[in-house]
Amino acid sequence: MNGFERRRGGGVVATFSGFEADLLRSLASQLVELLRNEVAAPTSASDPLEDLLDFSGPTTEPDDPVLARLFPSAYTDDDEAAGEFRRYTERGLRDGKAQSAEQMIDTLEEAGLPPELGEDGLVVDVELSGDEAMSWLKSFTDIRLALATRLGVEEGDEAYWDSLPEEDPRSAVHDIYDWVGYLQETLVRALSR
């Protein structure tokens, strides 16, 4: 896999093995599931505007560390202001992140990734418009944040990850984290040409 390349006439292209495309679909699916599973806070609003616009989002930081990383507190020194900000914004942010991940899944499947991967030697050619590429870029960022949070990746800890034995399951997940970073980097480069 050579990453993303600029396409004549705009947009970008990439070629994935069936395994790579299926892995991306799995990561995006897990992200969508995480984003969609947390229920918004119930509302007992009496404000007609609020009822009309449905500002029933959560008011507290998510319990899941990945969600807390994806949706950090806007006001670290004011819990009430942070709760109000979260209530009005988090639902829309969640929807946007989930839609980007769903678009990645749809694009991979439209490019030929079957529902169940079984064929050896499958190649999936993906072509993205500028808008689709930006959506994928957002999903790569969210997937990497999720993986980094689950693994406990910190800035400057590359030597630790390099020292892990290959049979350590964290090593394989860190390799996926690095690979998604590579895809993200090549996509940024292709978009900036």
Side-chain angles (χ1 to χ4, degrees):
M1 163 11 40
N2 294 326
F4 286 88
E5 296 176 7
R6 186 84 176 161
R7 181 175 56 154
R8 272 191 236 197
V12 296
V13 295
T15 299
F16 298 100
S17 70
F19 173 78
E20 291 168 333
D22 195 46
L23 178 57
L24 282 176
R25 176 175 55 192
S26 175
L27 293 169
S29 296
Q30 290 175 55
L31 180 62
V32 170
E33 184 177 335
L34 180 66
L35 291 166
R36 298 281 191 214
N37 272 347
E38 199 159 293
V39 178
T43 183
S44 58
S46 59
D47 181 343
L49 177 62
E50 191 172 317
D51 290 339
L52 178 67
L53 297 176
D54 188 22
F55 290 128
S56 60
T59 58
T60 58
E61 189 171 293
D63 291 332
D64 186 300
V66 171
L67 290 173
R69 180 69 178 100
L70 290 173
F71 306 104
S73 182
Y75 302 97
T76 56
D77 57 346
D78 186 341
D79 290 342
E80 186 176 333
E84 284 299 297
F85 183 83
R86 185 175 299 281
R87 183 167 74 118
Y88 294 118
T89 60
E90 189 171 313
R91 175 175 279 168
L93 292 172
R94 277 179 187 257
D95 287 345
K97 289 176 182 296
Q99 288 169 2
S100 289
E102 288 166 347
Q103 183 179 43
M104 179 181 283
I105 295 165
D106 292 345
T107 304
L108 289 165
E109 291 176 351
E110 289 166 7
L113 181 63
E116 293 287 325
L117 188 63
E119 181 183 329
D120 285 340
L122 176 70
V123 174
V124 179
D125 293 317
V126 173
E127 294 185 27
L128 304 174
S129 69
D131 288 343
E132 290 168 331
M134 291 306 293
S135 181
W136 275 55
L137 195 55
K138 291 174 187 176
S139 288
F140 285 150
T141 300
D142 293 339
I143 289 167
R144 289 196 77 219
L145 282 172
L147 290 171
T149 302
R150 291 283 190 246
L151 286 170
V153 172
E154 294 180 11
E155 190 172 334
D157 68 351
E158 292 83 11
Y160 169 77
W161 295 105
D162 291 341
S163 72
L164 286 179
E166 282 188 33
E167 56 276 355
D168 189 316
R170 294 173 300 165
S171 179
V173 177
H174 192 269
D175 288 346
I176 294 168
Y177 167 79
D178 281 342
W179 177 66
V180 174
Y182 166 76
L183 294 176
Q184 184 179 36
E185 182 180 321
T186 63
L187 182 53
V188 167
R189 202 173 321 127
L191 288 170
S192 62
R193 287 189 179 160

